[in-house]
Amino acid sequence: MARRGVSGARRGGAWPSAAVPQRRCGWGAGAAMSEPGAAGPSPAAIQVSRIMRPDDANIAGNVHGGTILKMIEEAGAIISTRHCNSQAGEPCVAALARVERTDFLSPMCIGEVANVSAEITYTSRHSVEVQVNVMSENILTGAKKVTNKATLWYVPLSLKNVNKVVEVPPIQYARKEQEDEGKKRYEEQKLDRLETKQRNGDVILPVINPDRQTKEPHTVGYSQSSLIHLVGPSDCTLLGFVHGGVTMKLMDEVAGIVAARHCKTNIVTASVDAINFHEKIKKGCVITVSGRMTFTSNKSMEIEVFVDADPFVDEPRERYRAVSAFFTYVSLSKEGKPLPVPQLLTETEDEKRRFEEGKGRYLQTKAKRQAQMQQSAQQ
């Protein structure tokens, strides 16, 4: 049985759109690790570094958005798991529950070093908020630039009982306002997760050997794509469930295929809306990652991605929706300049409805960005 099946070629990359002592760590080949003096039992911030290699990037040399998302999640998992085990209690592993909207501010290329810093900014009784910044470094010139900023939410699961969420040790805030702002973010993401769950009845039927010669280009059906992946031990945490970063990388691959089929050009990830992890995916599951185009503006396209899991091993049950998100891509010329995106042709009432919903999200994001720019200009 093939471990993964994909219809199409992946072309995507990534593109723009209380002081505490740091304890540094690294992972994987090429990761930098340092220990600048004694660290406390619950580090408030960490930094990891890794050089970008050819297998991290697309054919144009831009690092895949999924590769960056995976590094972001790994840093978040390290710091949140460390914190949740910093006091006496049940051993646990932090599981990713949600990633807030993430913008790719600047491209990262092969040969550059990704410096990923993570800091815990809020804790509730059963969750941890982690803020992550990614900076690319040209080790030949020393030039550095911020490429990503992300907010992740984790919940600690007991090593003895994977269905038990253990209590999170509280953190100390420099000011009362920081705790109040964190609590507000916590309530907002909790409400959004509930709303997203209610929309999860939708399905994307897999495309089996589609005859694209008979389909009209730039329609939803023409670019729709699916990927099938057998979850193995290397994909999983100590608890035997899939790492959130692994799932996000697969989702970015499928979204990239959809975008490339639609544009027939080099495409890169511009942003990812909130990614909600609704249920755990266990080792031995077969997951289907499906993507479809929902909206296009003049220079961007929105792709909806679902992850459905079929648990065949140990405990057979019905297929279920595990993860969902919206990815935004842009089309680039050989010189790396943005290109116009072909207009999406909607054929059914559902496609027209999803297009209007996507247009609403696009206009809302555009208005927020303009407001932020005006606010920055006034400061």
Side-chain angles (χ1 to χ4, degrees):
M1 177 180 177
R3 190 159 185 258
R4 185 191 304 176
V6 182
S7 176
R10 176 71 169 98
R11 297 186 183 180
W15 182 255
S17 55
V20 183
Q22 284 194 342
R23 181 175 181 177
R24 303 175 186 270
C25 69
W27 75 86
M33 180 170 68
S34 60
E35 193 74 39
S42 176
I46 65 169
Q47 181 171 311
V48 293
S49 300
R50 185 165 77 82
I51 193 165
M52 297 292 98
R53 296 172 174 171
D55 58 349
D56 295 317
N58 64 8
I59 56 177
N62 301 123
V63 174
H64 293 305
T67 298
I68 298 172
L69 289 171
K70 189 170 184 288
M71 289 190 295
I72 288 173
E73 195 279 328
E74 287 175 333
I78 290 171
I79 191 170
S80 52
T81 298
R82 277 181 177 173
H83 176 74
C84 292
N85 288 280
S86 62
Q87 295 182 6
E90 287 189 54
C92 62
V93 172
L96 183 62
R98 175 180 168 88
V99 181
E100 303 289 2
R101 178 183 172 84
T102 304
D103 290 308
F104 291 78
L105 307 173
S106 179
M108 192 180 300
C109 302
I110 296 171
E112 292 184 329
V113 172
N115 298 302
V116 185
S117 59
E119 180 180 6
I120 294 175
T121 49
Y122 178 76
T123 57
S124 68
R125 186 180 179 186
H126 291 125
S127 64
V128 180
E129 180 193 53
V130 180
Q131 300 277 358
V132 181
N133 291 325
V134 183
M135 180 172 289
S136 66
E137 176 188 0
N138 185 319
I139 55 178
L140 300 180
T141 65
K144 297 180 180 180
K145 58 186 176 183
V146 177
T147 62
N148 296 81
K149 294 183 179 181
T151 302
L152 302 89
W153 293 89
Y154 289 84
V155 293
L157 303 179
S158 170
L159 284 175
K160 299 177 181 178
N161 179 1
V162 296
N163 295 314
K164 180 181 179 181
V165 179
V166 303
E167 289 196 17
V168 176
I171 63 171
Q172 298 297 319
Y173 301 94
R175 304 187 317 277
K176 181 65 167 58
E177 291 80 4
Q178 290 179 339
E179 183 176 9
D180 294 339
E181 291 168 359
K183 186 174 182 180
K184 182 180 178 181
R185 294 191 299 270
Y186 168 76
E187 295 296 340
E188 288 175 347
Q189 65 87 26
K190 188 176 179 181
L191 179 62
D192 188 73
R193 279 175 56 78
L194 290 174
E195 292 176 350
T196 304
K197 267 192 173 183
Q198 295 173 358
R199 299 196 301 266
N200 261 351
D202 207 354
V203 296
I204 302 177
L205 297 176
V207 179
I208 310 293
N209 297 324
D211 183 4
R212 302 190 190 279
Q213 299 295 329
T214 62
K215 289 183 178 292
E216 186 175 359
H218 308 142
T219 59
V220 175
Y222 183 86
S223 59
Q224 180 179 315
S225 304
S226 296
L227 175 153
I228 299 173
H229 180 78
L230 173 63
V231 176
S234 63
D235 299 319
C236 297
T237 67
L238 295 174
L239 294 174
F241 294 100
V242 177
H243 283 289
V246 171
T247 307
M248 291 191 291
K249 192 170 187 298
L250 293 174
M251 295 173 76
D252 182 68
E253 286 184 13
V254 169
I257 293 169
V258 173
R261 281 177 168 164
H262 184 79
C263 292
K264 304 295 186 184
T265 62
N266 178 40
I267 50 85
V268 292
T269 315
S271 66
V272 184
D273 262 7
I275 304 176
N276 290 292
F277 293 77
H278 309 292
E279 289 198 47
K280 300 186 291 292
I281 303 173
K282 196 172 183 180
K283 179 176 62 179
C285 283
V286 172
I287 58 175
T288 302
V289 188
S290 305
R292 66 184 170 201
M293 191 80 66
T294 52
F295 170 75
T296 55
S297 66
N298 290 334
K299 292 187 178 180
S300 68
M301 50 204 135
E302 180 190 75
I303 296 117
E304 184 176 25
V305 182
F306 294 148
V307 179
D308 296 317
D310 287 301
F312 294 128
V313 179
D314 296 335
E315 45 180 280
R317 56 176 282 199
E318 295 294 323
R319 171 184 287 205
Y320 62 91
R321 177 66 40 79
V323 193
S324 58
F326 290 98
F327 287 69
T328 299
Y329 275 74
V330 294
S331 174
L332 298 180
S333 67
K334 293 181 179 179
E335 293 75 31
K337 303 296 183 181
L339 292 173
V341 171
Q343 182 73 10
L344 178 66
L345 303 179
T346 54
E347 299 175 301
T348 69
E349 290 302 316
D350 283 342
E351 291 174 359
K352 292 175 183 178
R353 172 182 55 80
R354 287 193 292 269
F355 186 92
E356 291 302 316
E357 292 173 350
K359 183 178 180 180
R361 287 186 291 270
Y362 168 77
L363 294 175
Q364 186 178 37
T365 300
K366 187 176 180 179
K368 284 183 179 179
R369 187 181 299 118
Q370 290 174 343
Q372 290 172 351
M373 291 175 63
Q374 290 176 356
Q375 187 177 10
S376 299
Q378 293 172 356
Q379 292 177 348

